Amino acid sequence: MINRFINVLTTKCQVEEKVSVLVAISGGADSVALLHLFREAGFQCVAAHCNFSLRGEESDEDERFVISLCKQWGVNCITQRFDTTGYAKEQKVSIEMAARELRYNWFNNLAETLNINLIATGHHGDDAIESFFLNLTRGTGLKGLTGISWRNEKLIRPLLFAASSEIEKYCSDNHLDYRTDCTNIETKYLRNNIRHRIVPLFREMNPAFFETMQNNMSFLNEAWEIFSREAENVQKQLVAKTDDAILIPIRLLNNHPQKRSILFEILKPYGFHGSSMEQIVDCLDGIPGKQFFSEQYRLIIDRYNLILLPKYEADNNCYAIEG
């Protein structure tokens, strides 16, 4: 395990020397194994634990466990408590999204404050497979089917090569204690539904399902790299920007053999997704004036161009107009 871990750090995560690492540790098997592997590999580590205050005393017990473990291993441990529920209501996002935003914002600020080179999380290969199915249901395009990236700027995920069962065996072989999150078995969350209901069906059909999916996502990632270069080149040719609008010539877009995929990549950053994309493409040769809306933008189908504009809030005040 340690040899594979070190190899992945170099080849996949592009870590060329033993720099300082901020290791995200929840107390679960994945993050405990991650911190242990970094220590075994000789890296200088700082552990960062988020208490999202979602499971009452159990969340506090996780925090105490992490602090005790890091003290035992001689690792500097920094903890942070969040009002996740309050943040989710304030930002009008799901609990899962709130927790994600809170932890990554904190990790980035902490790494900058402490002048730490890398941030490592314990995402493993099964997490990547679950993300594949999540994105498949949401219609995120080709990029969403490539799984989870090994590295994104400072953020690295060096356990993506391993299945959760391998990580648990590593913990057992090395006598590593860890905590189990009781919410991981609740199927009210879509990810848990995929984990406990969907993936087991595929494993029944294909005992080598994990390896098959690792290969599939690797091929899809290569396909994405080819397509993304093409999409970038087409955007440079098609898209014109003015002070407050983006123009996309309909004729040039229609002439491209993969116009749906190209348009998806152009409009995705502005909040337009799968279902609306099909409607937009179907209306390209229709009567001008049709409009489509995302949360912050509106897209107008003009006679010659698609016009993308910020969506201004309506003024609901009443005004008396005389004469």
Side-chain angles (χ1 to χ4, degrees), residues 288-307:
K290 183 75 174 177
Q291 296 190 53
F292 296 88
F293 298 90
S294 68
E295 187 174 334
Q296 296 181 343
Y297 291 87
R298 63 181 175 132
L299 182 74
I300 305 167
I301 299 183
D302 194 19
R303 186 174 298 276
Y304 302 109
N305 297 293
L306 297 180
I307 305 173

Side-chain angles (χ1 to χ4, degrees), residues 60-306:
D60 296 339
E61 288 177 5
D62 289 348
E63 182 178 340
R64 288 192 288 269
F65 169 80
V66 168
I67 292 172
S68 175
L69 178 70
C70 290
K71 184 176 181 181
Q72 177 186 337
W73 287 357
V75 175
N76 181 22
C77 179
I78 302 172
T79 65
Q80 179 69 43
R81 295 193 178 203
F82 298 105
D83 178 11
T84 312
T85 304
Y87 180 87
K89 290 178 180 178
E90 180 184 321
Q91 300 297 320
K92 298 180 181 179
V93 296
S94 66
I95 290 293
E96 297 94 324
M97 183 58 69
R100 176 184 172 81
E101 290 179 4
L102 287 168
R103 69 174 174 266
Y104 282 116
N105 288 341
W106 181 55
F107 290 158
N108 284 318
N109 290 335
L110 196 57
E112 186 175 347
T113 301
L114 299 176
N115 196 27
I116 291 177
N117 304 91
L118 297 171
I119 302 167
T121 65
H123 291 93
H124 50 68
D126 288 315
D127 290 324
I129 293 172
E130 291 160 14
S131 293
F132 171 91
F133 283 105
L134 273 171
N135 291 334
L136 190 66
T137 61
R138 292 169 177 167
T140 56
L142 181 58
K143 174 59 177 173
L145 304 183
T146 60
I148 302 173
S149 60
W150 292 92
R151 178 163 185 166
N152 184 8
E153 297 180 352
K154 280 188 174 185
L155 180 65
I156 60 172
R157 303 177 180 95
L159 287 183
L160 287 176
F161 70 90
S164 58
S165 57
E166 292 181 78
I167 294 170
E168 289 171 2
K169 185 178 185 303
Y170 177 83
C171 289
S172 175
D173 291 345
N174 289 275
H175 309 290
L176 306 178
D177 292 330
Y178 57 86
R179 300 273 298 168
T180 301
D181 185 345
C182 66
T183 62
N184 285 339
I185 61 173
E186 294 179 3
T187 53
K188 67 179 181 180
Y189 299 110
L190 181 56
R191 181 177 286 276
N192 287 356
N193 245 320
I194 292 170
R195 179 179 304 159
H196 298 299
R197 293 180 177 176
I198 306 300
V199 171
L201 292 176
F202 281 93
R203 284 187 176 138
E204 283 182 20
M205 293 185 284
N206 178 9
F209 178 66
F210 180 84
E211 292 77 12
T212 300
M213 283 301 298
Q214 291 259 308
N215 288 331
N216 286 340
M217 289 185 289
S218 178
F219 290 141
L220 286 166
N221 191 60
E222 291 181 7
W224 162 250
E225 289 177 2
I226 295 169
F227 172 73
S228 62
R229 286 194 293 269
E230 168 67 7
E232 186 177 341
N233 290 334
V234 172
Q235 285 189 55
K236 289 177 181 177
Q237 297 170 20
L238 288 186
V239 178
K241 295 184 179 181
T242 64
D243 290 339
D244 60 350
I246 292 174
L247 305 178
I248 306 167
I250 292 174
R251 182 181 62 83
L252 295 180
L253 181 64
N254 271 332
N255 288 340
H256 196 282
Q258 286 82 41
K259 63 182 177 183
R260 280 178 170 81
S261 298
I262 293 295
L263 187 61
F264 182 88
E265 294 304 323
I266 293 174
L267 297 181
K268 184 173 63 174
Y270 303 99
F272 293 91
H273 299 296
S275 58
S276 61
M277 204 63 56
E278 289 300 317
Q279 297 175 39
I280 294 169
V281 171
D282 290 342
C283 292
L284 288 179
D285 297 319
I287 299 172
K290 183 75 174 177
Q291 296 190 53
F292 296 88
F293 298 90
S294 68
E295 187 174 334
Q296 296 181 343
Y297 291 87
R298 63 181 175 132
L299 182 74
I300 305 167
I301 299 183
D302 194 19
R303 186 174 298 276
Y304 302 109
N305 297 293
L306 297 180

